[in-house]
Amino acid sequence: MRRILIATSNPGKLRDFAGAALRHGVEIAGIPEFSSLPTVIEDGLTFEANARKKAEAYSSYVPGEIVVADDSGLEIDALNGAPGVHSARYAAPDLLYKEPHEADANTDDDANNARVLHELKDIPSAQRTGRFVCVLAVARDGKTLATFRGTAEGIILDALRGTNGFGYDPLFYFPEIKKTFAELTAEEKSKYSHRGAAFRQFLNWSDAI
Ligand code: IMP
C-alpha cells in the first residue's frame, strides 16, 4: 500500500485525508515529530502560495519523501470571497490577521462560525452562496512538484447543523445531498468535498509519475 506524508496538525484535515485514503487504498501518515517543527507562517495572499510554502518547508525535514500540504478555506460570495485565506482566523480582530507576523494566530471554530453568521445576518438564503476551496501542494526536498485545486459549491446556513467534521462544516449545506458537511462520515465527505476532489487529482498524478 502506498504511503503519503501529510504536513498538518489539524485533526479535522487528517480525518478527511484518512477518509479519502480509505476510498483509494493508500495509507496516509503525519510527518514524524510534526508538532516540534518550527511553524510555517501562512502569510501568502492565495491558497496556492500558502500550500507551497508549507509543503516546501516541511519536506525539507524529511529528505527524499513526498510531502503533501493543504491550504484551504471558505469563500462566501456575499462577503466578496471572505474569509478566504483568512478562514482559520476569521474571528480575530482585522489588524491581527492582516499582520504577517501574526498570521498564524488561528481562532476557534465556534468563534469563526459566529462571525460568519453575524456578517450574513441580513443576507437572504438565495444570496448565501459560497464554496470551500482546497489547494494541495506536493513537494520533495524543499521544492514544489505540483499543485491541485478542489472546490465544493454550497449554501451558508443561518444556524449550525450536524456534529461531524470541523471548521465551517456545520454551516456548509451541500444541495446535491441535502446535508451539511458536518452531517457526513469522513468517507462520505471525501466523496463530495474540496479536499477529496484535490486529493483524487493528486492520486491520479502520483499514479502517472
Ligand atoms: P488552513 O488551511 O490551515 O489555513 O486552515 C483552513 C481553515 O479553513 C480551517 O481552519 C477551517 O476553518 C476552514 N476549512 C478548510 N477546509 C474545511 C473543511 O473541510 N471544513 C470546514 N472548514 C474548513
Side-chain angles (χ1 to χ4, degrees), residues 172-184:
F172 189 81
Y173 180 79
F174 195 63
E176 203 178 312
I177 45 168
K178 299 188 168 59
K179 283 182 179 173
T180 69
F181 272 7
E183 294 176 308
L184 305 180

Side-chain angles (χ1 to χ4, degrees), residues 1-69:
M1 193 187 268
R2 255 187 313 160
R3 185 163 156 270
I4 296 154
L5 293 185
I6 308 279
T8 186
S9 58
N10 181 327
K13 287 186 182 178
L14 278 174
R15 177 180 180 268
D16 282 4
F17 282 117
L22 199 68
R23 280 167 50 83
H24 295 284
V26 295
E27 184 193 344
I28 58 142
I31 292 188
E33 308 197 31
F34 186 79
S35 56
S36 61
L37 300 177
T39 306
V40 174
I41 303 296
E42 298 180 34
D43 55 0
L45 297 180
T46 62
F47 294 114
E48 182 173 335
N50 283 331
R52 281 173 173 265
K53 193 174 177 192
K54 288 187 268 191
E56 288 169 14
Y58 290 120
S59 67
S60 65
Y61 296 109
V62 279
E65 298 272 2
I66 296 258
V67 167
V68 174

Side-chain angles (χ1 to χ4, degrees), residues 66-120:
I66 296 258
V67 167
V68 174
D70 155 312
D71 199 63
S72 48
L74 179 64
E75 292 179 347
I76 301 176
D77 296 324
L79 303 179
N80 299 316
V85 289
H86 302 303
S87 292
R89 47 192 177 276
Y90 192 43
D94 283 2
L95 270 176
L96 187 61
Y97 71 67
K98 284 181 183 144
E99 290 294 325
H101 66 283
E102 295 282 14
D104 213 47
N106 289 353
T107 44
D108 189 71
D109 287 345
D110 292 339
N112 292 338
N113 281 320
R115 175 150 186 209
V116 165
L117 288 174
H118 175 75
E119 300 288 341
L120 292 182

